[in-house]
Amino acid sequence: MIEILRGQQELFPFHIGVSGNLDGRVGHEFIARGGSEEPGGYMLTSFDRKLLNLVQTQLPIAHRPFAQLAERLESDEETVLERLRWLTNHGFIRRIGPFFDSSCLGYVSTLVALQVETAQMDTVATTINQYGGVTHNYQREGEFNLWFTLMAANEEEQARILGEIGNLEGLRVLVSLPATQKYKVSVEFQL
């Protein structure tokens, strides 16, 4: 499920989108939030910080990856899973999961910028979020006030979806910005 995030700066003092490079085809994405004030006033334990540091780039591809993390942390799998659930439920982690190089799988993608009437923003965002290939749907300040990425099986499907979105009530302008070149950026934040 994709969520619309209003005023990202106030919800996330920063966000981490870190990926491991596994043969350029698959990796893990970890998104956390932190800063001087933790979400909901909660403080991270030393164990939580070590766990978050490991899971950013060292989540193993294994039958029981969290058991392997637990070994490295001198803990047990259930504790690791419980802490990850807690960190997710309390807003420190938004998502842990695989990501794929969609172009290697034959998909096409584009970044889409929209000008949406303020009164229709929630309806437009909710409708866009219904499409399975939509990710990173964010409301922003400025002339183009809603941005998302779209992956589709082929250009025809992408054009169909963009056409449907382009006809939504309250949408003034839709600009599709397909990538012309990809750059791999890997970031790791030590907590």
Side-chain angles (χ1 to χ4, degrees), residues 20-133:
N21 185 8
L22 304 171
D23 195 26
R25 294 178 191 269
V26 67
H28 292 278
E29 179 177 338
F30 168 74
I31 301 174
R33 61 188 207 184
S36 58
E37 294 187 22
E38 307 294 358
Y42 298 105
M43 295 299 294
L44 290 173
T45 66
S46 174
F47 181 85
D48 293 338
R49 290 182 190 281
K50 289 175 188 173
L51 176 59
L52 289 171
N53 285 334
L54 280 176
V55 80
Q56 286 183 70
T57 58
Q58 298 177 42
L59 184 62
I61 303 286
H63 180 67
R64 297 182 63 189
F66 301 107
Q68 289 185 17
L69 286 181
E71 282 181 38
R72 292 187 65 186
L73 293 165
E74 299 178 353
S75 184
D76 59 86
E77 182 179 30
E78 185 52 40
T79 299
V80 166
L81 291 170
E82 185 276 322
R83 292 312 301 158
L84 289 172
R85 279 190 289 273
W86 188 91
L87 291 163
T88 300
N89 291 337
H90 289 85
F92 290 91
I93 298 173
R94 187 171 64 184
R95 179 180 184 274
I96 299 175
F99 71 92
F100 301 91
D101 184 339
S102 57
S103 62
C104 285
L105 299 172
Y107 285 79
V108 295
S109 64
T110 188
L111 173 65
V112 182
L114 304 174
Q115 289 180 5
V116 180
E117 295 173 14
T118 305
Q120 297 296 322
M121 182 61 73
D122 288 340
T123 302
V124 170
T126 299
T127 302
I128 289 170
N129 289 343
Q130 301 304 308
Y131 291 95

Side-chain angles (χ1 to χ4, degrees), residues 138-154:
Y138 295 100
Q139 182 178 356
R140 299 284 189 211
E141 305 236 348
E143 186 176 353
F144 290 92
N145 55 359
L146 189 64
W147 293 74
F148 66 92
T149 58
L150 173 64
M151 286 191 315
N154 52 53

Side-chain angles (χ1 to χ4, degrees), residues 145-170:
N145 55 359
L146 189 64
W147 293 74
F148 66 92
T149 58
L150 173 64
M151 286 191 315
N154 52 53
E155 290 187 18
E156 293 78 23
E157 180 183 12
Q158 184 181 72
R160 177 188 59 77
I161 293 170
L162 291 176
E164 291 173 6
I165 291 171
N167 288 322
L168 293 175
E169 183 178 340

